[in-house]
Amino acid sequence: MMMACSLFVFAAAAQGAVDTRSHIFDSNVRSLKVYLGNNMYIPPVLMMGGDDRLVVNFDYLDYSVHYLRYSVTHCNADWQPSQLVESEYVSGFNYADIDDYESSEATYVHYYNYQFTLPNNDMEFLVSGNYLLSVYEQDDPSEILFQTRFSVCEGKVRVAPQVTSRTDVEYNNRFQQVSFGVHFKPGQIRDPYSELTCVVSQNSRQDNAVTVKRPTMVGVDHVTYEHNRDLIFPAGNEFRRFETVWAHNMNMGVQRIKYFEPMYHAELMVDEPRSPLQYLYDKTQFGRFTIRNAEAYGENVLQADYMITHFTLNTSGKLNGGKVVLYGEFLDGYPESQTVMNYDAGSGCYTADILLKQGAYNYLYLWVPDGTTVGQTSLIEGDHYETVNEYLIKVYDRPMGERYDHLVGYGVAYSGQ
């Protein structure tokens, strides 16, 4: 059965670029979270040979249990499938059943919660790099429920990143600039100019991630990437936050929670554009979410209920020339119908109604101009050099003659720290 999935991926690759972005194809899949077992608030990069595990947790909304299976596809730095065959990047068979699942308890919306960890006895990773994880019904591997990304790192080089608001275009205003060094043993990387590929992302966003190929300076045991204008990012603003941890009490950022057959509805406070306002610090989780029911008597993951969560952004009129998009980890992989805000002419506001599990959430409003796919923070959230952002730098190496990109190191830096 796994062969059908693999043939589909490689056939698509032969015809052109494969869409390996995170996608949730089945609307019954909710609350997908991929994280490291020892810390869910850092990027999901798994170190080879370490003790940590990657955790994959999600819900399937249904009264009947579904028997699910997963497999992985190895990808290069650009997230396109590599030339490796399955036996070269995973041990054993490239599929395994998800045996850990439980039914929700005392919730109006019934679901089954699924969880598994990687690597495990069924699947070990033989090489580093990017991996695309696909989950599907055991009896129908061609119908993928969702696909999501994670990475496996060798840790052979040390990445030393820095972030400054004193950029090559402005000084302490709207932007932040990333620079970093890559340190390695002499002779380990023979030709840094042709071997290395570095990818830099801000707050786990993929729409504005930057790929750099050529270092600024090269030494015997290190290379440096600095004064690169491609590594200047709009600073944005701190993430907005709300909590729905209480169904019968006050919650941060929530105006009211009421039950309307057949489920709860959470109406959030009306948001206003922050671009005209001064910067205000707030400690956030850089877009991530946490499932929690403060009234649960057992496991939060099984006793947290689902609520239709109502977002409202008051722009006092329609914004022409683009669309308003909600961004946060909780929406990773969902179609545009879930992430693009709808304009209500009667109120002059943008709205979105999304089914979300009880918990604590981070989010932003991005403006995506027509004809582009990159979200902008300047129009609605504003860009402030003081904003604390999380920057992830991945370093890939492909020596001459190799058939795939090794992820040899990564680093995380936080602006203003």
Side-chain angles (χ1 to χ4, degrees):
M1 287 192 290
M2 185 51 236
M3 186 62 69
C5 284
S6 300
L7 291 176
F8 171 79
V9 169
F10 288 107
Q15 296 172 5
V18 180
D19 189 352
T20 62
R21 293 172 298 175
S22 295
H23 274 299
I24 295 177
F25 301 105
D26 190 318
S27 60
N28 290 315
V29 174
R30 294 281 167 173
S31 304
L32 171 62
K33 194 169 182 68
V34 181
Y35 60 95
L36 294 180
N38 67 342
N39 189 345
M40 66 170 58
Y41 299 112
I42 60 175
V45 181
L46 188 67
M47 294 298 295
M48 293 189 70
D51 295 329
D52 198 19
R53 292 294 180 267
L54 192 83
V55 180
V56 181
N57 189 287
F58 63 95
D59 294 336
Y60 193 93
L61 276 53
D62 202 344
Y63 283 93
S64 301
V65 65
H66 289 247
Y67 300 102
L68 306 179
R69 180 172 289 176
Y70 62 89
S71 60
V72 296
T73 301
H74 186 265
C75 298
N76 287 317
D78 61 357
W79 284 100
Q80 289 299 291
S82 69
Q83 298 179 13
L84 301 181
V85 296
E86 294 176 351
S87 60
E88 292 179 289
Y89 60 82
V90 291
S91 61
F93 296 102
N94 185 14
Y95 65 84
D97 296 337
I98 305 177
D99 297 322
D100 185 358
Y101 54 85
E102 292 186 77
S103 173
S104 60
E105 301 173 359
T107 57
Y108 286 105
V109 176
H110 196 278
Y111 58 87
Y112 278 86
N113 177 259
Y114 294 80
Q115 179 167 299
F116 60 96
T117 61
L118 292 169
N120 52 47
N121 292 333
D122 296 315
M123 188 175 293
E124 295 276 350
F125 303 112
L126 303 179
V127 300
S128 67
N130 294 331
Y131 283 84
L132 181 69
L133 171 73
S134 300
V135 172
Y136 49 90
E137 301 272 2
Q138 289 182 12
D139 58 357
D140 191 1
S142 64
E143 289 294 327
I144 297 175
L145 302 183
F146 69 85
Q147 62 185 34
T148 190
R149 295 172 167 183
F150 67 93
S151 300
V152 176
C153 182
E154 296 176 10
K156 289 185 176 180
V157 304
R158 181 173 64 87
V159 182
Q162 291 183 328
V163 185
T164 180
S165 57
R166 302 175 182 181
T167 74
D168 291 345
V169 295
E170 283 185 351
Y171 182 90
N172 285 358
N173 194 355
R174 298 170 298 166
F175 298 100
Q176 295 171 348
Q177 186 160 359
V178 179
S179 61
F180 57 96
V182 180
H183 303 264
F184 46 84
K185 296 179 180 179
Q188 182 179 350
I189 298 177
R190 297 187 177 182
D191 186 1
Y193 289 111
S194 63
E195 288 185 31
L196 295 182
T197 299
C198 304
V199 179
V200 182
S201 58
Q202 179 194 58
N203 299 325
S204 301
R205 288 176 56 182
Q206 296 304 307
D207 62 315
N208 66 346
V210 174
T211 299
V212 291
K213 291 280 191 179
R214 296 181 64 83
T216 310
M217 294 185 293
V218 175
V220 176
D221 60 355
H222 70 280
V223 295
T224 303
Y225 298 79
E226 59 184 6
H227 298 295
N228 187 327
R229 293 207 171 192
D230 290 338
L231 296 180
I232 299 176
F233 292 81
N237 208 334
E238 305 295 346
F239 278 85
R240 301 175 190 254
R241 296 188 296 152
F242 73 90
E243 293 183 354
T244 52
V245 299
W246 298 92
H248 307 97
N249 210 332
M250 298 289 292
N251 290 270
M252 180 181 64
V254 179
Q255 188 169 350
R256 65 179 61 90
I257 292 179
K258 287 189 176 182
Y259 178 80
F260 297 100
E261 184 72 29
M263 66 184 66
Y264 286 108
H265 287 247
E267 184 179 336
L268 304 187
M269 297 290 189
V270 175
D271 287 321
E272 304 283 345
R274 296 186 290 174
S275 52
L277 306 178
Q278 290 186 338
Y279 170 78
L280 181 64
Y281 172 74
D282 187 19
K283 183 174 177 60
T284 73
Q285 290 71 49
F286 309 104
R288 299 182 176 94
F289 73 96
T290 305
I291 297 302
R292 180 171 176 249
N293 175 5
E295 300 166 292
Y297 55 86
E299 290 192 56
N300 277 278
V301 72
L302 299 178
Q303 295 181 2
D305 213 334
Y306 276 84
M307 302 179 178
I308 295 183
T309 307
H310 302 271
F311 295 81
T312 303
L313 173 66
N314 179 22
T315 54
S316 300
K318 185 175 176 59
L319 304 175
N320 296 315
K323 55 194 175 186
V324 178
V325 175
L326 263 176
Y327 172 75
E329 181 194 33
F330 66 100
L331 289 172
D332 188 30
Y334 281 99
E336 280 197 356
S337 59
Q338 294 281 309
T339 61
V340 176
M341 306 282 287
N342 300 307
Y343 178 67
D344 177 38
S347 64
C349 297
Y350 284 85
T351 65
D353 305 325
I354 305 175
L355 185 65
L356 296 177
K357 201 173 183 180
Q358 285 181 272
Y361 290 82
N362 286 191
Y363 68 104
L364 285 176
Y365 295 106
L366 299 179
W367 172 250
V368 182
D370 292 337
T372 71
T373 58
V374 178
Q376 300 177 0
T377 47
S378 57
L379 183 64
I380 300 172
E381 303 293 2
D383 290 317
H384 303 277
Y385 75 91
E386 304 99 325
T387 303
V388 182
N389 291 304
E390 178 187 83
Y391 291 92
L392 170 65
I393 299 92
K394 294 180 181 179
V395 178
Y396 301 86
D397 179 33
R398 182 183 285 207
M400 182 177 295
E402 285 284 359
R403 294 160 45 233
Y404 72 97
D405 295 333
H406 302 245
L407 178 55
V408 292
Y410 79 97
V412 180
Y414 298 91
S415 54
Q417 298 184 2

